[in-house]
Amino acid sequence: MEIFSYMEKYDYEQLVFCQDKQSGLKAIIAIHDTTLGPALGGTRMWTYASEEDAIEDALRLAKGMTYKNAAAGLNLGGGKTVIIGDPRKDKNEELFRAFGRYIQGLNGRYITAEDVGTTVADMDLIHEETDFVTGISPAFGSSGNPSPVTAFGVYRGMKAAAKEAFGSDSLEGKIIAVQGVGNVAYTLCKYLHEEGANLIVTDINKEAVDRAVRDFGAKAVDPNDIYGVDCDIYAPCALGATVNDDTIPQLKAKVIAGSANNQLKEPRHGDTIHELGIVYAPDYVINAGGVINVADELYGYNQDRALKKVESIYDTISKVIEIAKRDGIPTYQAADRLAEERIERMRNSRSQFLQNGHHILSRRK
């Protein structure tokens, strides 16, 4: 892997390698873009097959956070960390505190949070060495469990997508197929049930399904049958890549809107559902409630302020749909364009400001 060629091609700013022999820390911090502000992105701990795989994952995830934060309207750029190791047996206090010192050394260019393989307790250890960490324990001023806030954002985004598909954002009487009933999806189901939607649910966890059936009067189906049910909205809230060659022909929904990451198996599947007239709420836009919530911690967490910002996911999805229609492109491309246009406007504004400053200094001379 030619690292500098890759970074130049996709416009990455910085790649930081961190090691601490005593604790066994091997971490890679990727900072993609800080045009809008410091890079915010979680720390993932994973057993990678090779160091090159770890580097590629860090770079890919960091770029994704640039787009997610930009589209969410946050004054933050994109970054990500991967720690090479087994989260079940390689964690120790020294490792996370050593990593915290590396973050502190970046002096605010990168702010971390929990991700796959890391926990609130791990973030608390990082917090012992740096303030540039979010998602810590509520006792330290954190926002706590992000799942309910993420669910609220998905609910708001789903309503915006429904308005485009059905002419009204009311979900009363709509049949909504929810794939996966974990923490986020359970709260989403609560919002949908309260509005009068009819729920069809599935999950490999029978207890989660039984709870949704009991609490919301949902109909349960086998995990393999969720794609073909007669419904208005398909809400993927578990695995990624569930919109693919096998599932698209089965879908009867007019809207795809859910909390799962990487819902399209390949970009071309976004083209296919666009051609079929299905309204797709891009995953990293609709599920941004969690990052919006933790980002508020940087200002001294205020729940009302955070929820107000999350509520605006409705407007962001509407804007994505507007761009898609304006430019004649699928919504997954429109979401990228929304993020890119915001970053470009800031770059141009900054460039103009520097040019103006240069002219003023020249005249003074």
Side-chain angles (χ1 to χ4, degrees):
M1 182 181 185
E2 295 185 359
I3 293 175
F4 278 109
S5 296
Y6 187 96
M7 291 177 70
E8 184 178 2
K9 181 178 179 181
Y10 297 105
D11 206 16
Y12 286 85
E13 294 180 8
Q14 194 171 4
L15 196 59
V16 182
F17 295 88
C18 318
Q19 80 85 25
D20 179 71
K21 187 175 181 179
Q22 183 172 330
S23 66
L25 173 71
K26 292 182 176 64
I28 300 155
I29 303 171
I31 298 176
H32 177 244
D33 188 286
T34 58
T35 302
L36 297 174
L40 172 67
T43 293
R44 177 169 295 193
M45 189 169 187
W46 196 253
T47 50
Y48 292 94
S50 68
E51 292 178 2
E52 185 172 287
D53 285 351
I55 294 169
E56 287 181 354
D57 203 29
L59 290 167
R60 178 182 63 84
L61 293 166
K63 185 179 179 183
M65 288 307 301
T66 294
Y67 281 76
K68 186 167 194 164
N69 293 336
L74 298 173
N75 296 317
L76 293 164
K80 206 79 171 187
T81 295
V82 299
I83 295 176
I84 300 172
D86 188 336
R88 295 166 297 183
K89 61 182 183 181
D90 293 334
K91 289 183 180 182
N92 58 70
E93 178 183 356
E94 294 81 7
L95 181 146
F96 286 107
R97 292 189 65 163
F99 177 55
R101 290 191 290 274
Y102 279 109
I103 293 176
Q104 182 65 20
L106 290 170
N107 201 31
R109 275 181 57 76
Y110 170 66
I111 302 161
T112 199
E114 63 183 282
D115 199 279
V116 174
T118 60
T119 66
V120 171
D122 301 330
M123 296 305 109
D124 286 348
L125 291 173
I126 293 170
H127 183 54
E128 292 290 330
E129 303 290 344
T130 183
D131 287 332
F132 301 118
V133 54
T134 60
I136 51 181
S137 295
F140 297 120
S142 161
S143 54
N145 179 10
S147 296
V149 186
T150 302
F152 179 59
V154 175
Y155 167 67
R156 293 289 299 166
M158 184 183 288
K159 287 175 72 67
K163 186 174 183 180
E164 174 63 19
F166 308 116
S168 166
D169 66 7
S170 173
L171 300 176
E172 184 177 1
K174 292 289 185 287
I175 301 172
I176 302 172
V178 182
Q179 181 189 42
V181 204
N183 291 332
V184 172
Y186 177 83
T187 306
L188 173 63
C189 286
K190 182 173 181 288
Y191 283 116
L192 300 175
H193 175 67
E194 288 172 351
E195 192 169 333
N198 300 306
L199 300 173
I200 301 172
V201 300
T202 196
D203 197 297
I204 57 172
N205 183 341
K206 187 177 182 299
E207 289 181 9
V209 171
D210 291 343
R211 184 166 70 142
V213 170
R214 182 186 69 241
D215 295 351
F216 310 125
K219 176 187 174 184
V221 298
D222 184 83
N224 294 320
D225 296 335
I226 193 70
Y227 308 106
V229 297
D230 193 2
C231 67
D232 299 297
I233 298 171
Y234 165 56
C237 297
L239 302 172
T242 63
V243 180
N244 55 52
D245 289 336
D246 295 329
T247 63
I248 290 173
Q250 300 179 55
L251 293 175
K252 297 181 176 67
K254 294 294 184 186
V255 171
I256 297 174
S259 63
N261 289 312
N262 306 314
Q263 293 170 23
L264 306 176
K265 185 171 184 181
E266 297 175 31
R268 64 183 177 85
H269 295 120
D271 299 323
T272 302
I273 58 176
H274 174 69
E275 290 162 6
L276 291 170
I278 298 172
V279 178
Y280 170 56
D283 45 31
Y284 72 80
V285 179
I286 198 172
N287 69 13
V291 72
I292 292 171
N293 196 49
V294 297
D296 195 81
E297 294 176 22
L298 303 173
Y299 304 96
Y301 184 66
N302 180 294
Q303 187 179 50
D304 290 341
R305 180 177 61 203
L307 288 175
K308 192 72 177 173
K309 182 73 173 173
V310 173
E311 190 174 5
S312 70
I313 287 176
Y314 182 107
D315 301 320
T316 308
I317 292 292
S318 298
K319 181 66 175 174
V320 167
I321 293 169
E322 181 185 312
I323 292 171
K325 291 196 285 191
R326 179 195 74 189
D327 297 349
I329 56 177
T331 53
Y332 81 93
Q333 291 180 3
D336 289 353
R337 196 158 292 181
L338 173 69
E340 289 162 358
E341 287 177 355
R342 183 167 178 242
I343 292 168
E344 195 58 33
R345 283 196 304 271
M346 182 57 68
R347 280 181 180 155
N348 291 339
S349 173
R350 189 168 293 167
S351 176
Q352 188 63 46
F353 177 80
L354 291 172
Q355 286 179 16
N356 291 341
H358 176 73
H359 292 325
I360 291 169
L361 289 172
S362 298
R363 286 201 300 271
R364 283 181 178 174
K365 289 178 181 177

